Amino acid sequence: MTSTIPENLDTVKTALTAAATKWEHPTPTLVAVSKGQPGKKVETALKAGHRVFGENRVQEAEGKWGDLRPEFSDIELHLIGPLQTNKVKNAVALFDVIQTLDRPKLAKALAKEFERSGKTPGLFIQVNTGAEPQKAGILPEDLEGFYKECQGLGLTIMGLMCIPPVGEQPAMHFALLKKLAGELDLDQLSMGMSGDFEIAAGLGATHVRVGTAIFGPRG
Ligand SMILES: *Cc1c(COP(=O)(O)O)cnc(C)c1O
């Protein structure tokens, strides 16, 4: 028998707490990744009391969350996918946290929109820890410069986010992200997905992004 979404949430939370506690870290925030999942499944998670969700596309998120947000005022929505500058206005209006700040052009567009709208979602810088050419994110060697550029634009950065390369040991990348955050005095780390969130929690993640382990395969 397949388990239900509330059961999966419980299982993931228990495993998260166990992994974090073992290494004397606080339990990370569980960002339930609802991209590609129907609204019905999201409502099941909401009814089970979960409030923190991640989406990777602005348009999809607007469609799914536009109606639910007014109903559940304490929802916290994270953008975990790439953000095009022409979607910045909509993203700032909808999301509480944008985890994918990955280039100077986007930093400038966000700063401008923050000023215009008066709304200031939390920001994570996405770091390309594996230096993969096809992957978004700031290269580790460029991070300090980019961070200073963001500060110069008046942006407050909460922490760092990474997506390790497929087929590599994620622990190495999580440890690198933690080291980079420490060098900048940042204490928030978004790392770990369905396959490796316990490893991430053990290495000090403050946010894990878990989709399929909660909702099942994406449609
Ligand atoms: C889809 C996605 C996740 C969730 O992945 P699962 O393997 O389903 O847990 C996490 N982070 C990012 C950036 C994603 O795009």
Side-chain angles (χ1 to χ4, degrees):
M1 216 185 84
T2 53
S3 45
T4 65
I5 288 168
E7 283 168 353
N8 292 342
L9 277 167
D10 275 348
T11 307
V12 170
K13 281 183 196 165
T14 303
L16 255 187
T17 302
T21 307
K22 184 173 171 196
W23 299 97
E24 298 179 358
H25 295 298
T27 301
T29 298
L30 175 58
V31 181
V33 176
S34 48
K35 70 180 188 199
Q37 304 286 358
K40 267 214 155 18
K41 288 195 173 184
V42 168
E43 283 182 48
T44 308
L46 281 165
K47 282 190 186 127
H50 199 75
R51 289 294 180 269
V52 188
F53 293 87
E55 291 281 349
N56 70 333
R57 288 207 177 87
V58 177
Q59 218 164 339
E60 181 190 337
E62 283 176 326
K64 208 183 301 174
W65 292 96
D67 294 340
L68 289 169
R69 287 218 82 158
E71 198 180 329
F72 298 89
S73 59
D74 52 347
I75 286 172
E76 186 179 306
L77 266 192
H78 291 239
L79 178 64
I80 62 166
L83 177 57
Q84 294 166 287
T85 44
N86 63 358
K87 299 266 173 63
V88 159
K89 192 174 169 184
N90 298 44
V92 168
L94 182 68
F95 289 97
D96 302 289
V97 179
I98 293 170
Q99 294 203 6
T100 47
L101 173 48
D102 61 358
R103 58 198 194 280
K105 191 179 168 202
L106 179 58
K108 289 187 191 109
L110 284 167
K112 218 170 155 186
E113 180 58 19
F114 283 13
E115 183 153 12
R116 195 199 65 81
S117 67
K119 202 170 173 267
T120 54
L123 295 173
F124 284 77
I125 295 174
Q126 182 175 350
V127 184
N128 188 353
T129 56
E132 295 173 277
Q134 83 288 3
K135 194 169 271 178
I138 298 290
L139 292 171
E141 62 262 37
D142 298 333
L143 180 60
E144 191 184 353
F146 180 65
Y147 177 63
K148 288 194 173 140
E149 199 174 335
C150 290
Q151 285 185 310
L153 289 164
L155 296 175
T156 303
I157 305 297
M158 291 170 66
L160 305 180
M161 177 272 215
C162 78
I163 310 169
V166 176
E168 280 188 30
Q169 291 289 338
M172 198 177 88
H173 295 274
F174 298 159
L176 172 59
L177 196 71
K178 190 176 173 69
K179 176 177 159 280
L180 292 168
E183 288 168 2
L184 298 175
D185 256 333
L186 295 169
D187 57 8
Q188 309 271 309
L189 294 167
S190 173
M191 54 192 200
M193 322 202 313
S194 287
D196 52 23
F197 66 85
E198 287 169 277
I199 298 171
L203 289 166
T206 59
H207 296 71
V208 296
R209 313 175 305 267
V210 179
T212 47
I214 296 170
F215 296 109
R218 282 177 280 275

